[in-house]
């Protein structure tokens, strides 16, 4: 059995950042995937949106709760620290217009290489294709059984990710094991998922996107929430930040009412009435030309209505006008299915934050044990918040372990 100071399970951004901070101890990182950090490589469509320029107050609104815990963590390692870290490793970073931060090269590979290289420079070993099967508490630490052998480690960092995109290696198989060692695992559910809707009629609009759309959600006719953001229509339903970020609140059978863009019901009604009074002969089909709607959407919604689009707008009855307002500002869809772990970009749930020291990420249940990254019950919106959490928690745990006397 090999004896080391620190064993890190998982070489995603959280595990690699933890290793990067440990200078004075022997470290082995194990990852069951042959190609490690696959999710990091997929992030931001391969461009790696690793954080956002927002301030702390803004950041804390981007997660599914646990503000007090996150506040303490971000005070120790935040977005500017992440940027400074990568710049120091020779990876220039850049802020996009929308505040999202990427490597200037727009290559996730550069972020991964920087993290791997610093671990190598520190003399750490990375064993890819080695799966952790069991962990036992033993005198002075942990015995870790893997697909390739056994290790004794004084400190153990769980950085094994969530359950989404299981083909990347983050398959959630270790949650049960740590539950067995006394940790509470909050219910695991997909987050940042697209939704499959019915009727599936909108699929004719596949590829259309809308800035600042509004999606209202109703369950048994009661409002669940009203959400704003960019919307994308896909071949199966809806995606884009407004749907992904709020998918954790959606359930099968919920009704969604979609406003395509920023023009609300009242403004659209006033516009149509004004047009009827001033340009009454204008055919209804032309009435939407002065509005910020794509032609495809207008044609699609008018064709789907009961209204003869060739008739003059002055002849549009109140009932017909309301039908159009409903189509453009509250288009009704039912959720048939909320995307599962195979398409979710993150996982809600995981190791309870109540059992972690927010200053160190150390377990309050088992001395020497730490949890970082997505395996912890913290999940953020799209926009770089999940990788920032992985980097923050990894950095905090790594620094803490580096400072421990053995
Ligand atoms: C398609 C996609 C796009 C995304 N885009 C973004 C984005 O632009 N910005 C953003 O902030 N976030 C994004 N995310 C989320 C982000 O990638 C994750 O939150 C982040 O990678 C989590 O880091 P982690 O180190 O905690 O876990 P992971 O990156 O999941 O790494 C965990 C590692 O642990 C290993 N492991 C698991 N079990 C075992 C075991 N038993 N033995 C050994 N090894 C094990 C896995 O193989 C894996 O390599 C995206 C996710 C996806 C799927």
């Amino acid at each position: 059995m090999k004896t080391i100071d620190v064993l890190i399970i998982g070489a995603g951004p959280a595990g690699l950042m933890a290793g990067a901070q440990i200078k004075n101890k022997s470290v082995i990182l194990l990852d069951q995937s042959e190609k490690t950090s696959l999710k990091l490589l997929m992030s931001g469509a391969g461009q790696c949106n690793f954080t956002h320029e927002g301030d702390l107050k803004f950041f804390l609104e981007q997660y599914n709760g646990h503000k007090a815990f996150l506040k303490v963590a971000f005070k120790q390692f935040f977005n500017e620290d992440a940027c400074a870290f990568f710049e120091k490793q020779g990876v220039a970073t850049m802020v996009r217009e929308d505040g999202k931060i990427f490597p200037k090269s727009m290559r996730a590979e550069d972020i991964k290489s920087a993290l791997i290289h610093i671990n190598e420079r520190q003399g750490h070993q990375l064993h890819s294709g080695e799966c952790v099967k069991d962990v036992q508490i033993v005198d002075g630490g942990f015995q870790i059984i893997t697909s390739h052998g056994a290790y004794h480690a004084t400190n153990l960092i769980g950085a094994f990710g969530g359950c989404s995109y299981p083909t990347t290696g983050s398959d959630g198989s270790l949650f049960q094991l740590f539950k067995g060692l006394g940790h509470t695992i909050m219910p695991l559910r997909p987050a940042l998922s697209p939704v499959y809707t019915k009727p599936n009629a909108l699929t004719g609009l596949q590829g259309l996107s809308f800035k600042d759309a509004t999606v209202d959600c109703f369950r048994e006719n009661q409002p669940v929430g009203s959400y704003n953001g960019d919307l994308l229509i896909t071949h199966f339903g809806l995606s884009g930040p407004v749907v992904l970020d709020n998918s954790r609140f959606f359930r099968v059978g919920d009704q969604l009412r979609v406003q395509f863009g920023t023009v609300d019901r009242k403004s659209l009604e006033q516009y149509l009435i004004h047009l009827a009074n001033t340009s009454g002969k204008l055919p209804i089909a032309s009435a939407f030309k002065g509005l910020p709607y794509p032609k495809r959407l207008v044609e699609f919604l008018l064709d789907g209505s009961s209204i003869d689009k060739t008739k003059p707008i002055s002849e549009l009855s109140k009932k017909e006008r309301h039908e159009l307002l409903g189509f453009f500002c509250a288009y009704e869809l039912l959720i048939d299915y909320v995307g599962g772990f195979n398409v979710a970009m993150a996982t809600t749930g995981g190791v309870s934050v109540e059992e972690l020291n927010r200053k160190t990420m150390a377990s309050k249940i088992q001395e020497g044990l730490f949890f970082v990254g997505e395996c912890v019950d913290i999940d953020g919106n799209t926009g770089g918040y999940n990788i920032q959490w992985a980097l923050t928690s990894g950095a905090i745990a790594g620094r803490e372990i580096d400072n421990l006397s053995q």
Side-chain angles (χ1 to χ4, degrees), residues 134-151:
D134 195 16
V135 173
Q136 284 157 18
I137 315 288
V138 291
D139 252 4
F142 304 87
Q143 183 174 315
I144 300 106
I145 312 295
T146 76
S147 50
H148 291 48
Y151 301 83

Side-chain angles (χ1 to χ4, degrees), residues 9-16 30-33 35-40 42-45 48-51 102 130-133 159-162 164-165 168-174 192 344-346 372-375 381-390:
I9 311 174
L16 288 170
L30 300 180
D31 200 300
Q32 66 175 339
S33 174
K35 293 182 183 161
T36 61
S37 313
L38 277 174
K39 256 190 215 177
L40 184 68
M42 294 163 91
S43 67
C48 193
N49 166 213
F50 66 92
T51 189
F102 295 82
E130 184 164 351
C131 174
V132 172
K133 302 274 190 195
F160 49 87
S164 65
Y165 278 74
T168 59
S170 311
D171 56 8
S173 55
L174 289 179
L192 306 186
M345 284 157 63
V372 296
E374 203 175 317
C375 66
N381 289 339
T382 55
Y385 310 101
N386 286 303
I387 294 179
Q388 178 65 58
W389 160 246

Side-chain angles (χ1 to χ4, degrees), residues 46-311:
Q47 299 181 332
C48 193
N49 166 213
F50 66 92
T51 189
H52 189 280
E53 69 167 349
D55 62 14
L56 182 59
K57 191 164 173 267
F58 172 82
F59 245 80
L60 295 177
E61 295 300 327
Q62 308 305 320
Y63 294 85
N64 188 17
H66 305 307
K67 281 188 190 175
F69 186 92
L70 284 165
K71 194 172 174 183
V72 175
F74 287 142
K75 282 197 168 169
Q76 297 176 78
F77 189 96
F78 197 34
N79 49 7
E80 64 258 26
D81 302 302
C83 292
F85 172 87
F86 288 117
E87 299 271 351
K88 199 172 165 200
Q89 306 309 314
V91 181
T93 62
M94 70 97 162
V95 186
R96 221 170 61 173
E97 246 174 34
D98 56 6
K100 293 181 181 178
I101 302 184
F102 295 82
K104 206 168 183 180
S105 63
M106 300 304 261
R107 281 166 37 95
E109 187 66 51
D110 293 349
I111 294 286
K112 175 180 171 179
S113 297
L115 285 164
I116 299 265
H117 286 152
I118 187 167
N119 274 279
E120 283 172 354
R121 280 202 303 278
Q122 249 116 252
H124 306 340
Q125 291 175 35
L126 168 56
H127 299 186
S128 57
E130 184 164 351
C131 174
V132 172
K133 302 274 190 195
D134 195 16
V135 173
Q136 284 157 18
I137 315 288
V138 291
D139 252 4
F142 304 87
Q143 183 174 315
I144 300 106
I145 312 295
T146 76
S147 50
H148 291 48
Y151 301 83
H152 179 280
T154 315
N155 291 109
L156 180 64
I157 304 182
F160 49 87
C163 307
S164 65
Y165 278 74
T167 48
T168 59
S170 311
D171 56 8
S173 55
L174 289 179
F175 285 112
Q176 220 30 47
L177 196 156
F178 286 103
K179 192 174 172 189
L181 294 183
H183 269 280
T184 306
I185 307 300
M186 302 309 284
L188 298 156
R189 280 192 290 112
L192 306 186
S193 304
V195 297
Y196 297 68
T197 56
K198 54 184 182 187
N200 218 2
L202 277 188
T203 52
L205 297 178
Q206 176 183 348
L208 274 191
S209 59
F210 299 90
K211 274 222 147 310
D212 288 326
T214 301
V215 176
D216 292 323
C217 180
F218 293 83
R219 192 167 302 149
E220 290 163 5
N221 290 323
Q222 296 302 312
V224 171
S226 179
Y227 312 104
N228 283 94
D230 298 349
L231 175 75
L232 173 70
I233 299 181
T234 69
H235 62 287
F236 52 77
L238 303 177
S239 187
V242 66
V243 167
L244 297 172
D245 290 348
N246 299 298
S247 66
R248 54 173 89 94
F249 308 120
F250 298 157
R251 300 284 176 273
V252 173
D254 285 355
Q255 188 194 56
L256 299 180
R257 295 184 196 158
V258 178
Q259 177 183 295
F260 297 99
T262 50
V263 184
D264 63 20
R265 195 180 174 102
K266 194 172 163 207
S267 313
L268 184 58
E269 179 156 42
Q270 282 170 351
Y271 178 83
L272 293 176
I273 292 172
H274 174 75
L275 217 56
N277 290 335
T278 54
S279 316
K281 289 190 180 143
L282 197 72
I284 290 162
S286 307
F288 290 84
K289 280 193 178 143
L291 293 165
Y293 292 123
K295 198 168 157 221
R296 255 169 85 200
L297 176 80
V298 174
E299 280 171 4
F300 176 85
L301 293 183
L302 288 179
D303 288 346
S305 75
S306 64
I307 299 159
D308 171 7
K309 61 182 180 182
T310 61
K311 76 175 178 182

Side-chain angles (χ1 to χ4, degrees), residues 69 178 182-186 350-358 361-366 369 371:
F69 186 92
F178 286 103
H183 269 280
T184 306
I185 307 300
M186 302 309 284
V351 176
S352 169
V353 297
E354 301 300 324
E355 295 163 358
L356 299 183
N357 179 331
R358 63 186 73 175
M361 301 300 136
S363 161
K364 293 179 186 171
I365 309 276
Q366 182 56 51
L369 179 60
F371 291 100

